[in-house]
Each structure stands twice: as C-alpha cells, then as structure tokens.
Amino acid sequence: YWKEAAAIAQSYIVKKIAFEMHPGFCVYNPESLLRLREAVGDIIGANFDPSHLIWQGIDPVAAIRALKGAIYHFHAKDTKIDPYNAAVNGVSVRSWAFRTVGYGNDMNYWKDMISNLKMTGYDGVISIEHEDGLMSVKEGLEKAVSFLKEILITEDPTAAWWA
C-alpha cells in the first residue's frame, strides 16, 4: 500500500511523507518507522512528537539518534507520567497526560532533545502542539514560546577559538 501511495505522492512532486509515531497506528516507534522507510524509501520519515514516545517509555533522545536523517517535522509537546498510577497500572490505562513543554519534563531534558536534533542534522520547524488539559490555549502557547526561547539553538557554531 505505502509503496503505491508514495509513488502517487511523488507523481505530485511530494518529497516527504512524515508519520507521527503513535500507538495503534502502522508506525508507532522508531523501529516501525525505519522498517516502513526501508520498504518504501526515504520519502518516508517521522513527524517526531516526543509526547507519544515518552508515555510508551521510549527515550526521545535515543529515538532521535536512531532516526538520524529521517526526522521531517518536530512537535514540541511534553508528557507527564503519573508515577503512582503507572506503578500500579502501567501506562496502558492513561497514567500520563499531555503537557506544555517544560511541564512534563525539565529544561535539561528538553535541552538534550534539542541538542540531539541539531547533532543529527535536523534543521526544520519546531512546532508547538498544545494539548495540555490544565492550561488554556493562550497560556499554554505563551509558556511554550517562553520555554523554547531559552533552549532553542538558533545560530550555527563558529570555529573553536581555542583550536
């Protein structure tokens, strides 16, 4: 199916099809994305939404590294795991909640993610996706923008002065 769909997309000059890795979909983790990409070609890539990986217990930094060159879009959306509910019931019974960036995981966690995107060559959009049930859209967006301003790497590195 996806080989045919990719051929149709390419006939319309579509160069990239980005799958959001989400449980219950045909692509739900890095392994399933890379398997589809291997079968279909590099038209297939990831719409990387760390929030879906976090609640599955997948380390977003490890996933970014595994998907080097295959990340076509990035969602800035966080997830908070409820450790008490997860300890009793696991993550299958919604022991987690989508949160605005910085409200599920701390700044160092996100700095590491952004740094690894840069290290693996991703230079695309960082798109804020708001699904935080504890904040209005306005407040969630304002807080996400403020948080991301602190951690985004916006300039290319220069030659090391000490080299």
Side-chain angles (χ1 to χ4, degrees):
Y1 172 84
W2 284 109
K3 285 181 182 181
E4 186 178 320
I8 292 168
Q10 287 172 321
S11 76
Y12 287 97
I13 325 234
V14 172
K15 297 186 185 317
K16 296 178 179 178
I17 299 171
F19 283 84
E20 188 166 338
M21 296 174 286
H22 192 291
F25 292 1
C26 67
V27 169
Y28 53 91
N29 63 15
E31 181 183 20
S32 59
L33 184 116
L34 291 172
R35 196 168 48 241
L36 182 61
R37 182 178 166 93
E38 184 178 324
V40 176
D42 65 3
I43 189 171
I44 301 295
N47 173 6
F48 196 97
D49 184 335
S51 70
H52 298 300
L53 303 178
I54 294 166
W55 73 260
Q56 293 181 78
I58 297 170
D59 179 340
V61 171
I64 288 167
R65 289 181 177 201
L67 294 170
K68 180 180 181 177
I71 298 174
Y72 293 165
H73 190 75
F74 185 87
H75 280 170
K77 186 172 80 177
D78 212 342
T79 294
K80 177 69 176 171
I81 304 293
D82 177 337
Y84 304 107
N85 199 17
V88 173
N89 298 308
V91 295
S92 62
V93 289
R94 194 69 189 236
S95 297
W96 49 271
F98 293 135
R99 297 303 317 269
T100 296
V101 290
Y103 281 80
N105 293 280
D106 68 16
M107 188 173 277
N108 285 332
Y109 185 92
W110 278 90
K111 283 180 179 178
D112 200 20
M113 218 182 313
I114 296 299
S115 295
N116 276 273
L117 283 170
K118 184 87 165 167
M119 286 177 4
T120 58
Y122 181 76
D123 192 28
V125 170
I126 306 291
S127 174
I128 296 168
E129 183 178 23
H130 176 76
E131 292 184 26
D132 190 323
L134 299 176
M135 293 184 199
S136 70
V137 173
K138 179 182 181 293
E139 182 178 24
L141 178 62
E142 288 172 351
K143 289 183 183 300
V145 167
S146 177
F147 183 85
L148 290 168
K149 279 183 178 181
E150 294 295 317
I151 65 167
L152 290 179
I153 300 168
T154 58
E155 297 180 15
D156 289 329
T158 56
W161 61 267
W162 63 89

